[in-house]
Amino acid sequence: MAKLHISFENGNPEQVVEFDPSQAPFHHDGEPGSILDILLGHGVELEHACGGNCACTTCHVIVTQGMAHLTENEEEEDDMLDKAPGLVSTSRLGCQAVMAEGEVKIRIPRHTINQQV
Amino acid sequence: MPSSPTFTATIEKIIERTPDTRSFFLRVANGRKLSFVPGQFLSFLLPAGGETLTRAYTIASLPGEEDCFEICLNQVDGGPGSSYLFSRKEADVLCFTGPWGNFVLDQPTDAEYIFIADRVGVVPFRPMIARLLTAGGHHTARLLYAAPQAGDLLYTDEWQRWEGQYAYFSFRPLIAECEPEEYSIEKGLLPYVEQHFVKGVRQYSRRFYICGIGRPVLLLRDLLRGAGYERQAVKYEKW
């Protein structure tokens, strides 16, 4: 079993999801086995305005531990992350970062948006 | 459910643009206007199959069309989102959040703008090009628009009208003349881009905007960036 810890900058209580990576996909949005897929499939909401297609940054998460357990960024994700508010060196898009093992901790930024104009 | 504000809109009109592509004209409830930047999309919350799907559809409206706006989409085989929308009728109500997205025009420069559309990927370019052409400054813009058949092209009358109206805008349809299942960008679009913007290129000041479905968008991105165009000069949106 793998374990994903989620903390929220908006003060919501921390959550932990334990899952069997071989059972992915858990939902229908984002890459199968991605952080977005895992969260939605276990009842944890994460904004994903584009439907998990790497066309926005609303599923931006900050990885605080276990980056090595996630697939590496592809150019498409990097291009999109450039536009994310509050970008840090461990930022990832939840719809693209696939977790296949181990223990990862993420923080959901208070402002996952705002691309609205 | 999303934490962003959710709006409702009524379908005022549905137009079949091609056998598998429809435009939906929507009016936001309570007289609200939709303020958007050309190129942005809306995120629809669709009750399909016993759950709520999140599906993004690009705004096709021209700038200023804020009272009754248009989304234009094709029906995806087995796609629950488009199937749900294609079963809607006028007066039905839809929920959405947004507008969203960063696939928008940069501050206009003197650079030549090349818009590369693969099939229904042309939709964001309608408001983007309209904005560019009417922004002042006579920005040179080209639209390369690829499709399997001429009948698959969207907004053709408009592109042709703009081409006649604005000397600095040109429209280049690239028709593969094949069935949709045999279609690929190798049958026209990719070789055209390679011939005109890659081989022997000496000036790298152009700005490219690419939109389409799936891997072909990334192929075009890699072709142009690989030819030496700066990363920021090659923008794309892949659906």
Side-chain angles (χ1 to χ4, degrees):
Chain A
M1 294 292 278
K3 199 181 276 190
L4 180 59
H5 300 254
I6 311 107
S7 63
F8 300 86
E9 285 185 359
N10 68 4
N12 283 353
E14 184 172 323
Q15 296 194 46
V16 180
V17 172
E18 283 193 73
F19 63 99
D20 177 358
S22 69
Q23 297 301 306
F26 302 101
H27 196 253
H28 43 63
D29 292 338
E31 290 294 319
S34 64
I35 288 172
L36 177 67
D37 178 45
I38 295 163
L39 295 186
L40 295 179
H42 293 84
V44 181
E45 282 299 327
L46 179 62
E47 194 97 51
H48 56 296
C50 74
N53 284 305
C54 198
C56 71
T57 60
T58 54
C59 65
H60 174 208
V61 301
I62 295 166
V63 180
T64 56
Q65 189 180 310
M67 187 66 110
H69 295 304
L70 299 172
T71 49
E72 289 191 12
N73 308 35
E74 293 198 6
E75 189 173 352
E76 190 180 358
E77 183 183 351
D78 287 339
D79 284 337
M80 195 53 62
L81 270 174
D82 278 353
K83 302 156 189 166
L87 182 70
V88 298
S89 61
T90 58
S91 288
R92 296 296 306 265
L93 289 184
C95 69
Q96 299 299 300
V98 173
M99 180 181 168
E101 60 177 11
E103 193 164 351
V104 171
K105 294 185 178 180
I106 61 169
R107 188 171 75 240
I108 310 244
R110 184 183 300 273
H111 302 291
T112 58
I113 45 176
N114 191 340
Q115 314 310 326
Q116 296 182 79
V117 178
Chain B
M1 293 297 287
S3 56
S4 309
T6 303
F7 305 99
T8 57
T10 304
I11 301 174
E12 280 219 342
K13 187 171 59 173
I14 301 172
I15 293 177
E16 188 167 291
R17 295 201 177 272
T18 74
D20 71 346
T21 307
R22 287 182 190 170
S23 281
F24 297 79
F25 293 84
L26 308 173
R27 187 175 295 279
V28 187
N30 303 319
R32 295 183 72 117
K33 293 184 187 303
L34 182 74
S35 179
F36 67 98
V37 177
Q40 289 191 305
F41 62 83
L42 299 174
S43 182
F44 286 84
L45 308 171
L46 307 176
E51 57 184 334
T52 301
L53 299 175
T54 302
R55 290 292 181 272
Y57 297 107
T58 304
I59 301 165
S61 303
L62 299 175
E65 293 179 342
E66 296 168 341
D67 290 334
C68 186
F69 63 93
E70 175 186 355
I71 57 170
C72 180
L73 58 131
N74 64 315
Q75 184 158 29
V76 179
D77 281 344
S82 62
S83 295
Y84 176 82
L85 282 174
F86 272 60
S87 67
R88 296 304 91 194
K89 53 190 185 305
E90 290 171 1
D92 282 352
V93 172
L94 300 173
C95 294
F96 68 90
T97 67
W100 306 94
N102 278 305
F103 187 63
V104 299
L105 290 169
D106 295 323
Q107 285 293 327
T109 69
D110 290 336
E112 182 183 17
Y113 287 77
I114 313 293
F115 297 91
I116 303 174
D118 184 21
R119 294 165 289 174
V120 76
V122 79
V123 171
F125 295 151
R126 183 175 182 244
M128 289 167 82
I129 293 172
R131 168 62 54 83
L132 192 66
L133 294 178
T134 56
H138 293 203
H139 305 288
T140 304
R142 292 196 226 182
L143 171 62
L144 315 179
Y145 182 6
Q149 302 279 349
D152 297 320
L153 296 175
L154 303 168
Y155 307 110
T156 307
D157 292 350
E158 212 156 48
W159 311 127
Q160 291 172 338
R161 191 173 73 247
W162 290 352
E163 191 174 39
Q165 190 175 349
Y166 300 99
Y168 37 90
F169 171 67
S170 64
F171 164 50
R172 174 78 187 194
L174 295 159
I175 308 303
E177 299 291 2
C178 67
E179 295 302 316
E181 55 272 18
E182 297 164 348
Y183 171 80
S184 77
I185 61 165
E186 281 83 0
K187 296 185 175 183
L189 182 56
L190 196 69
Y192 186 93
V193 170
E194 195 164 19
Q195 183 183 342
H196 290 82
F197 305 110
V198 173
K199 286 181 179 167
V201 67
R202 285 188 203 84
Q203 62 109 339
Y204 291 91
S205 62
R206 296 183 177 105
R207 292 192 170 268
F208 294 90
Y209 292 82
I210 308 164
C211 188
I213 303 158
R215 297 295 297 177
V217 173
L218 303 184
L219 285 177
L220 289 160
R221 174 200 67 185
D222 293 344
L223 176 67
L224 292 166
R225 289 183 177 174
Y229 293 99
E230 284 184 15
R231 184 169 168 233
Q232 293 301 325
V234 182
K235 296 183 182 295
Y236 59 95
E237 188 157 77
K238 174 177 79 71
W239 292 107

Coordinates of all heavy atoms in Angstrom, one line a residue, chain B residues 162-227:
Chain B
W162 N -12.6 38.0 -43.1 CA -11.5 38.7 -42.4 C -10.3 38.9 -43.3 O -9.7 39.9 -43.3 CB -11.1 38.0 -41.1 CG -12.2 38.1 -40.0 CD1 -13.3 38.8 -40.0 CD2 -12.1 37.4 -38.8 NE1 -14.0 38.6 -38.9 CE2 -13.3 37.8 -38.1 CE3 -11.2 36.5 -38.2 CZ2 -13.6 37.3 -36.8 CZ3 -11.5 36.0 -36.9 CH2 -12.7 36.4 -36.2
E163 N -10.1 37.8 -44.1 CA -9.0 37.9 -45.0 C -9.2 39.0 -46.1 O -8.2 39.7 -46.4 CB -8.8 36.5 -45.7 CG -7.5 36.4 -46.5 CD -7.3 35.0 -47.1 OE1 -8.3 34.4 -47.5 OE2 -6.2 34.5 -47.0
G164 N -10.4 39.1 -46.5 CA -10.7 40.2 -47.4 C -10.7 41.6 -46.8 O -10.4 42.6 -47.4
Q165 N -11.0 41.6 -45.5 CA -11.2 42.9 -44.8 C -9.9 43.4 -44.3 O -9.6 44.6 -44.2 CB -12.2 42.6 -43.6 CG -12.6 43.9 -42.9 CD -13.7 43.5 -41.9 OE1 -14.2 42.4 -41.8 NE2 -14.0 44.4 -41.0
Y166 N -9.0 42.5 -43.9 CA -7.7 42.9 -43.2 C -6.5 42.4 -44.1 O -6.3 41.2 -44.2 CB -7.6 42.3 -41.8 CG -8.7 42.7 -40.9 CD1 -9.8 41.9 -40.6 CD2 -8.6 44.0 -40.3 CE1 -10.8 42.3 -39.8 CE2 -9.6 44.4 -39.4 CZ -10.7 43.5 -39.2 OH -11.7 43.9 -38.3
A167 N -5.8 43.3 -44.7 CA -4.7 42.9 -45.6 C -3.6 42.1 -44.8 O -2.9 41.4 -45.5 CB -4.1 44.1 -46.2
Y168 N -3.5 42.3 -43.6 CA -2.5 41.6 -42.8 C -2.9 40.3 -42.1 O -2.2 39.8 -41.3 CB -1.9 42.6 -41.7 CG -3.0 43.5 -41.1 CD1 -3.6 43.1 -40.0 CD2 -3.3 44.7 -41.7 CE1 -4.6 43.9 -39.4 CE2 -4.3 45.5 -41.1 CZ -5.0 45.1 -40.0 OH -5.9 45.8 -39.4
F169 N -4.1 39.8 -42.5 CA -4.5 38.5 -42.1 C -4.7 37.6 -43.2 O -5.3 37.9 -44.3 CB -5.9 38.6 -41.3 CG -6.5 37.3 -41.0 CD1 -5.8 36.4 -40.1 CD2 -7.6 36.8 -41.6 CE1 -6.4 35.2 -39.7 CE2 -8.1 35.6 -41.3 CZ -7.5 34.8 -40.4
S170 N -4.1 36.3 -43.1 CA -4.3 35.4 -44.2 C -4.8 34.0 -43.5 O -4.5 33.7 -42.4 CB -3.0 35.1 -45.0 OG -2.0 34.6 -44.1
F171 N -5.6 33.3 -44.3 CA -6.2 32.1 -43.9 C -5.8 31.0 -44.9 O -5.9 31.1 -46.1 CB -7.7 32.3 -44.0 CG -8.5 31.0 -43.9 CD1 -8.3 30.0 -42.9 CD2 -9.6 30.8 -44.8 CE1 -9.0 28.8 -42.9 CE2 -10.3 29.6 -44.8 CZ -10.0 28.6 -43.8
R172 N -5.2 29.9 -44.3 CA -4.7 28.9 -45.1 C -5.3 27.5 -44.7 O -4.9 26.9 -43.7 CB -3.2 28.8 -45.0 CG -2.5 27.6 -45.7 CD -2.4 27.8 -47.2 NE -2.0 26.6 -47.8 CZ -1.5 26.6 -49.1 NH1 -1.5 27.7 -49.8 NH2 -1.2 25.4 -49.6
P173 N -6.4 27.1 -45.3 CA -6.9 25.7 -45.0 C -6.0 24.7 -45.5 O -5.5 24.8 -46.6 CB -8.3 25.7 -45.7 CG -8.2 26.7 -46.8 CD -7.1 27.7 -46.4
L174 N -5.8 23.6 -44.7 CA -5.0 22.5 -45.1 C -5.8 21.2 -45.0 O -5.9 20.7 -43.9 CB -3.7 22.4 -44.2 CG -2.8 23.6 -44.3 CD1 -1.9 23.8 -43.1 CD2 -1.9 23.5 -45.6
I175 N -6.4 20.9 -46.1 CA -7.3 19.8 -46.1 C -6.6 18.5 -46.5 O -6.0 18.4 -47.6 CB -8.5 20.0 -47.2 CG1 -9.1 21.4 -46.9 CG2 -9.5 19.0 -47.1 CD1 -9.6 21.6 -45.5
A176 N -6.8 17.4 -45.7 CA -6.1 16.2 -45.9 C -6.8 15.3 -47.0 O -6.2 14.4 -47.5 CB -6.0 15.4 -44.6
E177 N -8.1 15.7 -47.3 CA -8.9 14.9 -48.2 C -8.9 13.4 -47.9 O -8.5 12.5 -48.7 CB -8.4 15.1 -49.7 CG -8.4 16.5 -50.2 CD -9.8 17.0 -50.4 OE1 -10.8 16.3 -50.1 OE2 -9.9 18.2 -50.8
C178 N -9.3 13.1 -46.7 CA -9.4 11.7 -46.2 C -10.5 11.6 -45.2 O -11.1 12.5 -44.8 CB -8.0 11.3 -45.6 SG -7.6 12.1 -44.1
E179 N -10.8 10.3 -44.9 CA -11.8 10.1 -43.9 C -11.2 10.4 -42.5 O -10.0 10.3 -42.3 CB -12.2 8.6 -43.9 CG -12.9 8.2 -45.2 CD -14.2 9.0 -45.5 OE1 -15.0 9.2 -44.5 OE2 -14.4 9.5 -46.6
P180 N -12.1 10.8 -41.6 CA -11.6 11.2 -40.2 C -10.7 10.1 -39.6 O -9.7 10.5 -39.0 CB -12.8 11.4 -39.4 CG -13.9 11.7 -40.4 CD -13.5 11.0 -41.7
E181 N -11.0 8.8 -39.8 CA -10.2 7.8 -39.2 C -8.8 7.6 -39.8 O -7.9 7.0 -39.2 CB -11.0 6.5 -39.1 CG -11.5 6.0 -40.4 CD -12.8 6.5 -40.8 OE1 -13.3 7.5 -40.2 OE2 -13.5 5.9 -41.7
E182 N -8.7 8.2 -41.0 CA -7.4 8.1 -41.7 C -6.6 9.4 -41.5 O -5.4 9.5 -42.0 CB -7.6 7.8 -43.2 CG -8.3 6.5 -43.5 CD -8.8 6.5 -44.9 OE1 -8.8 7.5 -45.6 OE2 -9.2 5.4 -45.3
Y183 N -7.1 10.3 -40.8 CA -6.5 11.7 -40.8 C -5.3 11.7 -39.8 O -5.3 11.0 -38.8 CB -7.6 12.7 -40.2 CG -7.0 14.0 -39.9 CD1 -6.8 15.0 -41.0 CD2 -6.7 14.4 -38.6 CE1 -6.2 16.2 -40.7 CE2 -6.2 15.6 -38.4 CZ -5.9 16.5 -39.4 OH -5.4 17.7 -39.1
S184 N -4.3 12.5 -40.2 CA -3.2 12.8 -39.3 C -2.6 14.1 -39.8 O -2.8 14.5 -40.9 CB -2.2 11.7 -39.3 OG -1.4 11.8 -40.5
I185 N -1.9 14.8 -38.9 CA -1.3 16.0 -39.3 C -0.2 15.9 -40.3 O 0.3 16.8 -40.9 CB -0.9 16.9 -38.1 CG1 0.2 16.1 -37.3 CG2 -2.0 17.3 -37.2 CD1 1.0 17.1 -36.3
E186 N 0.3 14.6 -40.4 CA 1.4 14.4 -41.4 C 0.8 14.6 -42.8 O 1.6 14.7 -43.8 CB 1.9 12.9 -41.3 CG 2.9 12.8 -40.1 CD 2.3 12.6 -38.8 OE1 1.0 12.5 -38.7 OE2 3.0 12.4 -37.8
K187 N -0.5 14.5 -43.0 CA -1.1 14.7 -44.3 C -1.4 16.2 -44.6 O -2.5 16.5 -45.0 CB -2.4 13.9 -44.3 CG -2.2 12.4 -44.2 CD -3.5 11.6 -44.4 CE -3.2 10.1 -44.4 NZ -4.4 9.3 -44.6
G188 N -0.5 17.0 -44.3 CA -0.7 18.4 -44.7 C -0.1 19.4 -43.7 O 0.7 20.2 -44.1
L189 N -0.6 19.4 -42.5 CA -0.3 20.4 -41.5 C 1.2 20.4 -41.2 O 1.9 21.4 -41.2 CB -1.2 20.3 -40.3 CG -0.9 21.4 -39.2 CD1 -1.1 22.8 -39.8 CD2 -1.9 21.2 -38.0
L190 N 1.7 19.2 -40.8 CA 3.1 19.1 -40.3 C 4.1 19.4 -41.4 O 5.0 20.3 -41.2 CB 3.3 17.7 -39.7 CG 4.5 17.5 -38.9 CD1 4.4 18.3 -37.6 CD2 4.8 16.1 -38.6
P191 N 3.9 18.9 -42.6 CA 4.8 19.3 -43.7 C 4.8 20.7 -44.0 O 5.8 21.3 -44.4 CB 4.4 18.4 -44.9 CG 3.3 17.5 -44.5 CD 3.0 17.8 -43.0
Y192 N 3.6 21.3 -44.0 CA 3.4 22.7 -44.3 C 4.2 23.6 -43.3 O 5.0 24.5 -43.7 CB 2.0 23.2 -44.3 CG 1.8 24.6 -44.8 CD1 1.5 24.9 -46.1 CD2 1.9 25.6 -43.9 CE1 1.3 26.2 -46.5 CE2 1.7 27.0 -44.3 CZ 1.4 27.2 -45.6 OH 1.3 28.5 -46.0
V193 N 4.1 23.3 -42.0 CA 4.8 24.0 -41.0 C 6.3 23.8 -41.1 O 7.1 24.8 -41.0 CB 4.3 23.6 -39.6 CG1 5.2 24.1 -38.5 CG2 2.8 23.9 -39.3
E194 N 6.7 22.6 -41.4 CA 8.1 22.3 -41.6 C 8.7 23.1 -42.8 O 9.7 23.7 -42.6 CB 8.3 20.8 -41.8 CG 9.7 20.4 -41.6 CD 9.8 18.9 -41.5 OE1 8.8 18.2 -41.9 OE2 10.8 18.4 -41.0
Q195 N 8.0 23.2 -43.9 CA 8.4 23.8 -45.1 C 8.5 25.3 -44.9 O 9.5 26.0 -45.3 CB 7.5 23.5 -46.2 CG 8.0 24.1 -47.6 CD 7.1 23.8 -48.7 OE1 6.3 22.9 -48.6 NE2 7.2 24.5 -49.8
H196 N 7.5 25.9 -44.2 CA 7.4 27.4 -44.2 C 8.0 28.0 -42.9 O 8.4 29.2 -43.0 CB 6.0 27.8 -44.3 CG 5.4 27.6 -45.6 ND1 4.9 26.3 -46.0 CD2 5.2 28.4 -46.7 CE1 4.5 26.4 -47.3 NE2 4.6 27.7 -47.7
F197 N 8.2 27.3 -41.9 CA 8.6 27.9 -40.6 C 9.8 27.2 -40.0 O 10.3 27.6 -38.9 CB 7.5 27.9 -39.6 CG 6.3 28.6 -40.1 CD1 5.1 27.9 -40.4 CD2 6.3 30.0 -40.4 CE1 4.0 28.5 -40.9 CE2 5.2 30.6 -40.9 CZ 4.0 29.9 -41.2
V198 N 10.3 26.1 -40.6 CA 11.4 25.4 -40.0 C 12.6 25.4 -41.0 O 13.7 25.9 -40.7 CB 11.0 24.0 -39.6 CG1 12.2 23.2 -39.2 CG2 10.0 24.0 -38.5
K199 N 12.4 24.9 -42.2 CA 13.5 24.7 -43.1 C 14.0 26.1 -43.6 O 13.3 26.9 -44.1 CB 13.1 23.9 -44.4 CG 12.9 22.4 -44.1 CD 12.5 21.7 -45.3 CE 12.4 20.2 -45.0 NZ 11.7 19.4 -46.0
G200 N 15.3 26.3 -43.4 CA 15.9 27.5 -43.8 C 15.5 28.8 -43.1 O 15.7 29.9 -43.6
V201 N 14.8 28.6 -42.0 CA 14.3 29.8 -41.2 C 15.5 30.6 -40.7 O 16.5 30.1 -40.3 CB 13.4 29.3 -40.1 CG1 14.2 28.6 -39.0 CG2 12.7 30.5 -39.5
R202 N 15.3 31.9 -40.8 CA 16.4 32.8 -40.4 C 15.9 33.8 -39.3 O 16.7 34.4 -38.6 CB 17.0 33.6 -41.6 CG 17.9 32.8 -42.4 CD 18.6 33.6 -43.5 NE 19.0 32.8 -44.6 CZ 18.2 32.5 -45.6 NH1 17.0 32.9 -45.7 NH2 18.6 31.7 -46.6
Q203 N 14.6 34.0 -39.3 CA 14.1 35.0 -38.3 C 13.2 34.2 -37.3 O 12.3 33.5 -37.7 CB 13.4 36.2 -39.0 CG 12.2 35.8 -39.8 CD 10.9 36.3 -39.1 OE1 10.9 36.6 -37.9 NE2 9.9 36.5 -39.9
Y204 N 13.5 34.5 -36.0 CA 12.8 33.7 -35.0 C 11.9 34.6 -34.2 O 11.6 34.3 -33.0 CB 13.8 33.1 -34.1 CG 14.6 32.0 -34.8 CD1 15.8 32.2 -35.5 CD2 14.1 30.7 -34.8 CE1 16.4 31.2 -36.2 CE2 14.8 29.7 -35.5 CZ 15.9 29.9 -36.2 OH 16.6 28.9 -36.8
S205 N 11.4 35.7 -34.7 CA 10.6 36.6 -34.0 C 9.1 36.2 -34.0 O 8.3 36.9 -33.3 CB 10.8 38.0 -34.5 OG 10.3 38.1 -35.8
R206 N 8.7 35.2 -34.8 CA 7.3 34.8 -34.9 C 6.8 34.3 -33.5 O 7.5 33.8 -32.7 CB 7.1 33.8 -35.9 CG 7.4 34.2 -37.3 CD 7.1 33.0 -38.3 NE 7.3 33.4 -39.7 CZ 8.4 33.0 -40.4 NH1 9.3 32.2 -39.9 NH2 8.5 33.4 -41.6
R207 N 5.5 34.5 -33.4 CA 4.8 33.9 -32.2 C 3.8 32.9 -32.7 O 2.9 33.2 -33.5 CB 4.1 35.0 -31.4 CG 5.1 35.9 -30.7 CD 4.5 36.8 -29.7 NE 5.5 37.5 -28.9 CZ 6.0 37.0 -27.8 NH1 5.6 35.9 -27.3 NH2 7.0 37.7 -27.2
F208 N 3.9 31.7 -32.2 CA 3.1 30.6 -32.6 C 2.0 30.2 -31.5 O 2.4 30.2 -30.3 CB 3.9 29.3 -32.9 CG 4.8 29.4 -34.0 CD1 6.1 29.9 -33.9 CD2 4.4 29.1 -35.3 CE1 6.9 30.0 -35.0 CE2 5.2 29.3 -36.4 CZ 6.5 29.7 -36.2
Y209 N 0.8 30.0 -31.9 CA -0.2 29.5 -31.0 C -0.8 28.2 -31.7 O -1.3 28.3 -32.8 CB -1.4 30.5 -30.9 CG -0.9 31.7 -30.1 CD1 -0.2 32.8 -30.7 CD2 -1.1 31.8 -28.7 CE1 0.2 33.9 -30.0 CE2 -0.7 32.9 -28.0 CZ 0.0 34.0 -28.6 OH 0.4 35.0 -27.9
I210 N -0.7 27.1 -31.0 CA -1.1 25.8 -31.5 C -2.3 25.3 -30.7 O -2.2 25.3 -29.4 CB 0.0 24.8 -31.5 CG1 1.3 25.4 -32.1 CG2 -0.4 23.5 -32.1 CD1 2.6 24.6 -31.8
C211 N -3.3 24.8 -31.3 CA -4.4 24.2 -30.6 C -5.0 23.0 -31.3 O -5.2 23.1 -32.6 CB -5.5 25.2 -30.3 SG -6.7 24.5 -29.1
G212 N -5.2 21.9 -30.6 CA -5.8 20.7 -31.3 C -6.0 19.6 -30.2 O -6.1 19.9 -29.0
I213 N -6.1 18.4 -30.7 CA -6.4 17.3 -29.9 C -5.2 16.3 -29.8 O -4.8 15.8 -30.9 CB -7.7 16.6 -30.4 CG1 -8.8 17.6 -30.6 CG2 -8.0 15.4 -29.6 CD1 -9.9 17.1 -31.5
G214 N -4.8 16.1 -28.6 CA -3.8 15.0 -28.4 C -2.4 15.3 -28.9 O -1.9 16.4 -29.0
R215 N -1.7 14.2 -29.1 CA -0.2 14.2 -29.4 C 0.2 15.1 -30.6 O 1.3 15.7 -30.5 CB 0.3 12.8 -29.7 CG 0.2 11.8 -28.5 CD 1.0 12.2 -27.3 NE 2.5 12.2 -27.6 CZ 3.4 12.5 -26.8 NH1 3.1 12.9 -25.5 NH2 4.7 12.5 -27.1
P216 N -0.6 15.3 -31.6 CA -0.2 16.2 -32.7 C 0.2 17.6 -32.3 O 1.1 18.1 -32.8 CB -1.4 16.2 -33.6 CG -2.1 14.9 -33.4 CD -1.9 14.6 -32.0
V217 N -0.4 18.0 -31.2 CA -0.1 19.4 -30.7 C 1.4 19.4 -30.2 O 2.1 20.3 -30.4 CB -1.1 19.8 -29.6 CG1 -0.6 21.1 -29.0 CG2 -2.5 19.9 -30.2
L218 N 1.7 18.3 -29.5 CA 3.1 18.2 -29.0 C 4.1 18.0 -30.1 O 5.2 18.5 -30.0 CB 3.2 17.1 -27.9 CG 2.2 17.2 -26.8 CD1 2.4 16.1 -25.7 CD2 2.2 18.6 -26.1
L219 N 3.7 17.3 -31.1 CA 4.6 17.1 -32.3 C 5.0 18.5 -32.9 O 6.1 18.8 -33.2 CB 4.0 16.2 -33.3 CG 3.9 14.8 -33.1 CD1 3.2 14.0 -34.2 CD2 5.3 14.2 -32.9
L220 N 3.9 19.3 -33.1 CA 4.1 20.7 -33.6 C 5.0 21.5 -32.7 O 5.9 22.2 -33.1 CB 2.8 21.3 -33.9 CG 2.0 20.7 -35.1 CD1 0.5 21.0 -35.0 CD2 2.6 21.1 -36.4
R221 N 4.7 21.4 -31.4 CA 5.5 22.2 -30.4 C 7.0 21.8 -30.5 O 7.8 22.7 -30.6 CB 5.0 21.9 -29.0 CG 5.8 22.5 -27.9 CD 5.6 21.8 -26.6 NE 6.1 20.4 -26.6 CZ 6.0 19.5 -25.6 NH1 5.3 19.9 -24.5 NH2 6.5 18.3 -25.7
D222 N 7.2 20.5 -30.5 CA 8.6 20.0 -30.6 C 9.3 20.4 -31.9 O 10.5 20.7 -31.9 CB 8.6 18.5 -30.4 CG 8.2 18.1 -29.0 OD1 8.1 19.0 -28.1 OD2 7.9 16.9 -28.8
L223 N 8.5 20.4 -33.0 CA 9.1 20.8 -34.3 C 9.6 22.2 -34.2 O 10.7 22.5 -34.6 CB 8.1 20.6 -35.4 CG 8.5 21.0 -36.8 CD1 9.6 20.1 -37.3 CD2 7.3 20.9 -37.7
L224 N 8.7 23.1 -33.7 CA 9.1 24.5 -33.7 C 10.1 24.9 -32.7 O 11.1 25.6 -33.0 CB 7.8 25.3 -33.5 CG 6.8 25.2 -34.7 CD1 5.4 25.8 -34.3 CD2 7.3 26.0 -35.9
R225 N 10.0 24.3 -31.5 CA 11.0 24.6 -30.5 C 12.4 24.0 -30.9 O 13.4 24.6 -30.7 CB 10.6 24.1 -29.1 CG 9.4 24.9 -28.5 CD 9.1 24.5 -27.1 NE 8.0 25.3 -26.5 CZ 7.4 25.1 -25.4 NH1 7.7 24.0 -24.7 NH2 6.5 25.9 -24.9
G226 N 12.3 22.8 -31.5 CA 13.5 22.2 -31.9 C 14.2 22.9 -33.0 O 15.4 22.8 -33.3
A227 N 13.4 23.7 -33.8 CA 14.0 24.5 -34.9 C 14.6 25.8 -34.4 O 15.3 26.5 -35.1 CB 12.9 24.9 -35.9

